[in-house]
Amino acid sequence: MRIVFIHCRTYCSNVAISANCQITRYGRLGQIDHAREIFDRLQAKNTVSWNSIIACYFQNNQPAEARHLFDGMPERTIVSWNGLISGYVKNKMLKEARSVFDQMPERNVVSWTAMIRGYVEEGMVSEAESLFWQMPEKNVVSWTVMLGGLIQDNQIDKARRLFDSMPVKDVVAKTSMIGGYCHTGRLTEARELFDEMLERNVVTWTTMISGYVQNQCVDVARKLFEVMPDKNEVSWTAMLMGYTQCGRMEEAMELFNAMPYKSVVSCNMMIIGFGQNGDLIKARKIFDQMREKDNGTWSAMIKSYERKGFELEALRLFSLMQKEGIRPNFPSLISVLSVCSSLASLDHGRQVHAQLVKGLFDMDVYVGSVLITMYVKCGDLVKAKSVFDRSPTKDIVMWNSIITGYAQHGLGDEALEFFHKLCSLGVTADDVTFVGVLSACSYTGKIDKGLEIFELMKSKYLVDPKTAHYACMVDLLGRGGRLQEAMDLINNMPMEADAIIWGSLMGACRTHMNLEMAEVAAKKLLHLEPTNSGPYILLSNIYASKGKWADVANLRKTMSSHNVKKLPGCSWIVIENEVHMFKGGDSRPHPEQSLIMGMLEYLGGLLKEAGYSPDGSFVLHDVDEEEKVHSLGYHSEKLAVAYGLLKVPEGMPIRIMKNLRVCGDCHSAIKLISQVTSREIILRDANRFHHFKDGRCSCRDYW
């Protein structure tokens, strides 16, 4: 009988052990229901079983159920109490953890250390330190946790004093101290401690190398890396980061090729490094060769394209990412939003907005500002305002986004209304706010209002006018034909006028045909930006309008001798998430060129009947009127409008983007096109938006 009893007891014990292991396993996998089912079926529950199921609930962020089970335990050990403290700490519930700690019938070194670790992890270092010095006994883990807390809090000198008083300094403690010195730039002290160590592990070596890398001592890091006895993946990656961060991509590539194992992290670093250096071909090659990619990989490649102006490639990659079923992370979505803003791809922007809503990011103030900017640049002011109105908190960046948006769309009254509302709510306006407000006045001809706000900037709003504000004022006065006042303002500025200011004045001279002042502005601009074609083109415009073809020819010769290239006019339209680009006189015709030409011919007939006569003054060639008319008919914005009429369904606005300022003839033509076709056309040029509807433009011809 005794033999049978012993066998039965052993069997029951083994069942409990097996069940406890299964409970722990399911808890780690997040399958809490399976874990609970095994626990409930277990007839002989021991303390370990209870501790295991309680730990499962804490692991799966269900602290209330964990506490309920703890309270129902028939018997508790100190391990149970310590598990409760650790569980609360993992769930960032420090008050509850401390309450349990204070109620414990007895405590051991693990109890004290768990509570101290909780304070350290939450940045409550003074509370951790106070508790640490109350400990009746300390082990090497307690000392190391407290040391790490002081280092984390940048109290390096206090950390060193604690380190010196440690009875036992193991490799972990010494490595932590080295890391603290490196983090604060005290490399000499870090290296002294490193050199004193009789025993170093791979983490110690990597910490010292990373310290040199973080402090831009890449060559010293490489020397240490070369004599490192054993290297792991982290060591190789740390050294690689040193080269990629400082742009030494040849050495980075050499090291990358020598790596025994190329991790996803190291590949991502190479993509970022090549991307920042502008070598997108090499970045994409690494991207394409990767067998395994994470969210960071896609984000790095999309960001590289976005930063270097390859917006179409960024959008294509984002589409590919979605096709492969990869959920974009936050940085990817923000990069794509920026691309949508640049290309005015509203449909893509809406998709990204939907994903931000799903990820619960849409209520973030920063995200709100980016979304407003995207909708503004895509020409959807209604949606931009909706995002603004729905945001529970609004910072100055968000206010600036909506004010600038209304200004760019030529809605000066609405922009000023938002500005006054901002002030009435006690929000402090900054220099960006006044750029938006003054631009609104400039775009809508509110000269007196603009002058009044400019005068009050410093006296009432305590914002010193900067170059950007003077540029707005020169633009304001110049558009209104008050060129001499604009020049006087430039001459009396407290700082040197930059190219933007002289460019604003020159644009006004072109509008009001003031050749003498235009030549002064052009001279200044050519000194500031000798390779910029803008001043040449504007001056050539004025010469051409006055029939001074010899002066036009001389300007062209000067441009040629200085190798100044004219930026070609380019317009685009997004149809079903695909960007269609058009250039005036493009040698590479659109795949549907014959349809576009047919639409232009049809429009030409409608416009002629409506009384349209092409304005040849916008053609800079000394050619006859027939050639001028032909040239004007194929400007890029007209090609894009024609394609939009063919592809955009009735009732939906046609959204066109242009990289330069829309020409006067195209502006007149598109106004009439909106009338004869009964279509709304929204054109975003380099300066602002034009909303064409029923033969009128939102700019009221003041642009």
Side-chain angles (χ1 to χ4, degrees), residues 315-330:
L315 275 187
R316 289 190 190 108
L317 198 61
F318 179 67
S319 298
L320 179 63
M321 186 181 187
Q322 291 180 303
K323 282 178 187 173
E324 295 195 8
I326 297 171
R327 189 174 178 179
N329 61 7
F330 183 75

Side-chain angles (χ1 to χ4, degrees), residues 483-484 487 491 502 505-525 535 538-543 545-546 548 551:
L483 297 177
Q484 190 54 54
M487 180 63 90
N491 292 332
W502 287 111
L505 182 65
M506 193 161 185
C509 291
R510 162 71 176 93
T511 302
H512 299 288
M513 292 301 159
N514 188 321
L515 178 57
E516 185 182 346
M517 199 174 284
E519 288 177 330
V520 173
K523 188 176 179 181
K524 293 284 187 180
L525 277 167
L538 284 171
L539 194 56
S540 186
N541 261 319
I542 299 171
Y543 284 146
S545 66
K546 292 183 178 291
K548 293 177 172 286
D551 290 323

Side-chain angles (χ1 to χ4, degrees), residues 40-227:
D40 289 340
R41 285 206 314 259
L42 194 60
Q43 291 180 350
K45 298 180 180 74
N46 57 22
T47 309
V48 177
S49 312
W50 286 90
N51 292 344
S52 298
I53 193 66
I54 289 167
C56 283
Y57 278 104
F58 274 125
Q59 277 178 343
N60 288 273
N61 304 314
Q62 297 185 41
E65 184 60 26
R67 182 60 197 249
H68 177 71
L69 284 165
F70 179 84
D71 291 339
M73 285 181 76
E75 181 185 356
R76 303 184 190 101
T77 65
I78 196 166
V79 175
S80 311
W81 287 94
N82 288 344
L84 192 62
I85 293 172
S86 297
Y88 278 133
V89 165
K90 284 174 185 172
N91 283 266
K92 301 184 184 299
M93 299 169 70
L94 285 211
K95 282 185 181 178
E96 291 81 356
R98 184 57 190 260
S99 176
V100 171
F101 178 82
D102 291 339
Q103 291 171 21
M104 287 178 72
E106 62 172 319
R107 306 183 191 103
N108 62 11
V109 70
V110 176
S111 321
W112 288 86
T113 305
M115 196 64 240
I116 291 165
R117 189 189 299 278
Y119 282 131
V120 165
E121 286 175 356
E122 291 302 306
M124 301 167 69
V125 179
S126 59
E127 288 86 347
E129 194 177 3
S130 173
L131 199 62
F132 176 78
W133 292 116
Q134 294 174 42
M135 282 184 77
E137 59 175 312
K138 306 173 182 72
N139 63 10
V140 69
V141 178
S142 319
W143 284 96
T144 306
V145 168
M146 192 62 246
L147 180 71
L150 292 171
I151 291 169
Q152 177 186 301
D153 203 39
N154 287 326
Q155 298 187 52
I156 303 302
D157 292 329
K158 186 181 272 192
R160 182 62 202 231
R161 289 194 294 273
L162 186 79
F163 177 80
D164 290 338
S165 62
M166 289 176 71
V168 178
K169 302 177 184 69
D170 64 0
V171 176
V172 176
K174 290 176 181 177
T175 303
S176 294
M177 198 65 238
I178 290 170
Y181 278 136
C182 290
H183 182 68
T184 52
R186 293 161 67 167
L187 293 179
T188 304
E189 291 157 288
R191 187 57 187 263
E192 283 175 4
L193 186 55
F194 177 86
D195 290 338
E196 287 169 6
M197 290 177 69
L198 299 175
E199 181 192 350
R200 308 182 191 104
N201 61 19
V202 70
V203 179
T204 313
W205 283 87
T206 305
T207 301
M208 193 66 243
I209 289 166
S210 296
Y212 282 125
V213 164
Q214 289 161 10
N215 290 277
Q216 290 80 49
C217 300
V218 182
D219 294 323
V220 182
R222 183 61 187 264
K223 286 178 183 176
L224 197 63
F225 178 80
E226 291 298 333
V227 296

Side-chain angles (χ1 to χ4, degrees), residues 295-311:
N295 243 318
T297 313
W298 291 89
S299 179
M301 196 67 241
I302 289 170
K303 187 73 177 174
S304 296
Y305 280 134
E306 180 247 318
R307 279 183 173 168
K308 297 300 175 183
F310 287 76
E311 289 94 351

Side-chain angles (χ1 to χ4, degrees), residues 249-266:
M249 292 310 297
E250 284 187 20
E251 291 155 292
M253 194 67 198
E254 178 192 338
L255 189 73
F256 181 73
N257 289 332
M259 289 177 75
Y261 171 72
K262 295 171 179 62
S263 67
V264 173
V265 175
S266 62

